[in-house]
Amino acid sequence: MNNAKSQLLLLIIAFLASTEASLIRCERGWVQFGKKCYKFSHSTATFKDAMVMCNNNGGRLLELQSREEENWVDLQCRVRGYGFGVWLGLTDLQREGQYVTMSDAHRPRYSNWMRGEPNNGNRNEHCAMYWITKKAWNDTVCTGRINYVCKK
Ligand SMILES: *[C@@H]1O[C@H](CO)[C@@H](O)[C@H](O)[C@H]1NC(C)=O
Ligand SMILES: [Ca+2]
Ligand SMILES: [Ca+2]
């Protein structure tokens, strides 16, 4: 390989390395897991307010995609002293009983509902949360105030 060619090759490698790194660098206040960044709330909010906060941050309300991700989020919640749970970007407001993700209105591929949930308690539970003590999902009243996690 001649000198010009090897220099070009080095440039390409350096460029690829820098874009790879920038893909997974999280902004201040966000925590990295895999290739995603997460922001854990300092206060509680209703489902709608939590969603708006996440959107304003350029992110989305947490949608859990695997058991590994859920275990990591669970640990982060415990360390932060969240007593109750966090909202999931998952609702059946559009069609009762059919939970879909906020990001694409499709049924989630991964789910971890508690036994007997979602039960639409008092016919008034349309938002999903990750329940820390039970390490599983439950549907609950959307106007309740709990912690939340934004993801981007
Ligand atoms: C699910 O949440 C409701 C409140 O929204 C609660 O009453 C119920 O006990 C929870 N289910 C389980 C299995 O903990
Ligand atoms: Ca419901
Ligand atoms: Ca329920």
Side-chain angles (χ1 to χ4, degrees), residues 47 61-64 87-93 98-104 106-113 126-129 137-140 142:
F47 179 87
L61 209 47
L62 176 68
E63 291 173 13
L64 291 171
W87 288 121
L88 297 175
L90 205 57
T91 176
D92 74 340
L93 275 167
Q98 205 166 103
Y99 272 86
V100 295
T101 58
M102 293 294 295
S103 61
D104 64 6
H106 284 121
R107 286 166 186 247
R109 276 200 244 158
Y110 167 76
S111 67
N112 181 25
W113 295 104
H126 310 305
C127 291
M129 64 175 286
W137 305 4
N138 190 357
D139 59 340
T140 190
C142 301

Side-chain angles (χ1 to χ4, degrees), residues 9-120:
L9 192 64
L10 276 176
L11 265 175
I12 291 169
I13 290 168
F15 172 75
L16 289 177
S18 70
T19 51
E20 176 76 18
S22 69
L23 272 177
I24 55 169
R25 196 186 302 135
C26 296
E27 290 163 41
R28 180 189 284 263
W30 294 70
V31 192
Q32 188 181 324
F33 178 73
K35 289 188 172 168
K36 297 290 183 177
C37 301
Y38 301 76
K39 195 179 175 75
F40 292 82
S41 76
H42 292 294
S43 52
T44 58
T46 63
F47 179 87
K48 190 178 86 175
D49 288 349
M51 180 198 72
V52 170
M53 297 280 234
C54 289
N55 292 164
N56 287 346
N57 275 327
R60 282 181 186 145
L61 209 47
L62 176 68
E63 291 173 13
L64 291 171
Q65 264 138 6
S66 68
R67 180 55 67 103
E68 290 70 35
E69 183 185 24
E70 184 168 308
N71 283 339
W72 180 81
V73 166
D74 178 85
L75 174 64
Q76 297 292 326
C77 289
R78 285 166 195 270
V79 166
R80 285 167 176 78
Y82 291 2
F84 194 49
V86 290
W87 288 121
L88 297 175
L90 205 57
T91 176
D92 74 340
L93 275 167
Q94 199 171 39
R95 188 165 171 202
E96 176 50 44
Q98 205 166 103
Y99 272 86
V100 295
T101 58
M102 293 294 295
S103 61
D104 64 6
H106 284 121
R107 286 166 186 247
R109 276 200 244 158
Y110 167 76
S111 67
N112 181 25
W113 295 104
M114 281 184 217
R115 188 193 293 257
E117 306 291 344
N119 68 344
N120 199 36

